[in-house]
Amino acid sequence: MASRGTVKASGNFKASEDAEVLHKAMKGLGTDEDSILQLLTARSNAQRQEIKATYKTLFGKDLVSDLKGELGGKFETLIVGLMTPPIAYDVTSLRNAIKGAGTDEKVLVEILSSRTCQQVKDIIAGYRQGFQHKCNRFYNKYDDNLEEDVCGDTSGHFKRLLVILLQANRQRGIQGGEIENDAQALFKAGEQHFGTDEQAFVTILGNRSAEHLRKVFDAYMKLSGFEMEESIQRETSGCLRDLLLAVVKCARSVPGYFAETLYYSMKGAGTDDNTLIRVMVTRSEVDMLDIRAEFRRKFACSLHSMIRGDTGGDYRKALLLLCGGDDA
């Protein structure tokens, strides 16, 4: 399947030439940020990894360390994100969401509801490996097991649904005979029930394929008169509600889910830069063209114009290059 990303591999790519350009941009007094952002947003992640290896060979220095030394703030965070392999980026995002005081549930919700089963398996394997390599003293007490770390930091039905998603064992395709049963079970668990049977929502939404769930949502609408999202809003709350909604939205359309995520990261006072950076980095080579189209369809502006109005400087320039065009 052709990539729906805005960032594609460069045709006449020479890692040594790119490494030279980056070295020159950081050499001596001052930094040529423009050269750095123009180059790195025009290379695929695989090509950036080649540049990183070649830079080490040519100059005996770590490219990411040099970039961190020369750049700062949100722009640095974005560029370092672009230099990180995709699975390692998800692993680091999840680790940072769990470690320390408090938990960033938003990151757990976003990553585990939107990744494919294979990606989740790769993340679990990367989490185990990555934290055996680095800072053993610090990470050993967490056993390097993503499921254990998630369980230690969450609770209740929210934890249960995260654990189901971490099994990466969703049914494939559409289970014809189950569509009506699932819709009935969800209706009984919520709208028809005094109180809510959250476990029914967790089990059905966590274990079925996206294609199957879309059919269930249609059947549920006919049965109850409500969209699935409306019932979840009314019947659940807190982190569980956020996770159930994310699973439903991703079953309907992953680009649609990310279009909303981007919109709400910039809407209102202040910007949730961590979310903005994370989505632009992780989706730029995957489905950013579709996210842009969904954004334009759902909201009264283009993704490009919202980024332009909400950010500044080199950070804005790099984000707009990842966005790849204006749909105004």
Side-chain angles (χ1 to χ4, degrees), residues 166-238:
L166 282 166
Q167 303 316 299
N169 202 19
R170 285 172 174 270
Q171 291 174 346
R172 294 192 176 183
I174 297 166
Q175 316 297 312
E178 290 297 309
I179 292 166
E180 211 52 54
N181 291 345
D182 285 348
Q184 288 276 3
L186 289 167
F187 183 50
K188 282 180 187 155
E191 297 291 350
Q192 209 181 30
H193 196 270
F194 181 72
T196 308
D197 175 7
E198 287 95 347
Q199 189 58 46
F201 282 87
V202 165
T203 304
I204 293 169
L205 296 179
N207 284 299
R208 308 292 191 261
S209 71
E211 305 96 299
H212 179 85
L213 285 176
R214 287 195 291 273
K215 298 277 186 195
V216 172
F217 301 156
D218 291 343
Y220 182 86
M221 178 69 186
K222 282 183 191 150
L223 187 66
S224 69
F226 295 108
E227 292 289 7
M228 194 72 243
E229 292 90 332
E230 289 178 83
S231 290
I232 289 169
Q233 289 276 15
R234 288 146 54 101
E235 298 290 332
T236 61
S237 61

Side-chain angles (χ1 to χ4, degrees), residues 15 34 45 69 95 136 146 161 179 183 185 189 223 228 240 254 295:
D34 221 49
N45 194 286
R95 186 69 195 86
N136 270 330
L146 178 54
L161 183 47
I179 292 166
L223 187 66
M228 194 72 243
L240 175 62
V254 171
F295 196 100

Side-chain angles (χ1 to χ4, degrees), residues 10-148:
S10 171
N12 51 354
F13 170 66
K14 291 193 176 65
S16 54
E17 286 179 13
D18 287 351
E20 292 276 4
V21 169
L22 292 170
H23 185 250
K24 190 178 165 194
M26 294 185 280
K27 207 169 133 191
L29 282 171
T31 307
D32 181 358
E33 287 90 350
D34 221 49
S35 292
I36 294 168
L37 70 88
Q38 293 281 351
L39 191 149
L40 293 178
T41 57
R43 303 291 181 271
S44 67
N45 194 286
Q47 290 176 332
R48 292 181 210 125
Q49 303 316 312
E50 278 190 60
I51 296 166
K52 191 166 23 175
T54 305
Y55 190 93
K56 188 79 167 263
T57 304
L58 290 177
F59 306 110
K61 291 156 85 179
D62 181 69
L63 174 55
V64 175
S65 297
D66 280 3
L67 288 165
K68 283 181 174 176
E70 295 291 327
L71 311 175
K74 295 171 284 199
F75 179 51
E76 178 197 322
T77 306
L78 178 63
I79 293 298
V80 170
L82 291 173
M83 292 305 303
T84 309
I87 294 299
Y89 187 83
D90 279 350
V91 165
T92 306
S93 298
L94 288 167
R95 186 69 195 86
N96 290 341
I98 294 167
K99 75 170 190 186
T103 308
D104 190 344
E105 290 89 355
K106 188 187 289 185
V107 176
L108 300 180
V109 167
E110 181 194 303
I111 292 176
L112 296 179
S113 65
S114 66
R115 302 306 189 252
T116 65
C117 287
Q118 188 55 55
Q119 285 170 331
V120 171
K121 287 173 184 170
D122 292 343
I123 287 165
I124 290 166
Y127 194 94
R128 194 174 295 120
Q129 289 166 353
F131 296 111
Q132 279 168 358
H133 296 328
K134 295 174 193 168
C135 315
N136 270 330
R137 288 191 310 283
F138 181 69
Y139 288 115
N140 270 352
K141 63 181 177 179
Y142 294 100
D143 300 317
D144 312 315
N145 182 307
L146 178 54
E147 187 180 320
E148 282 178 23

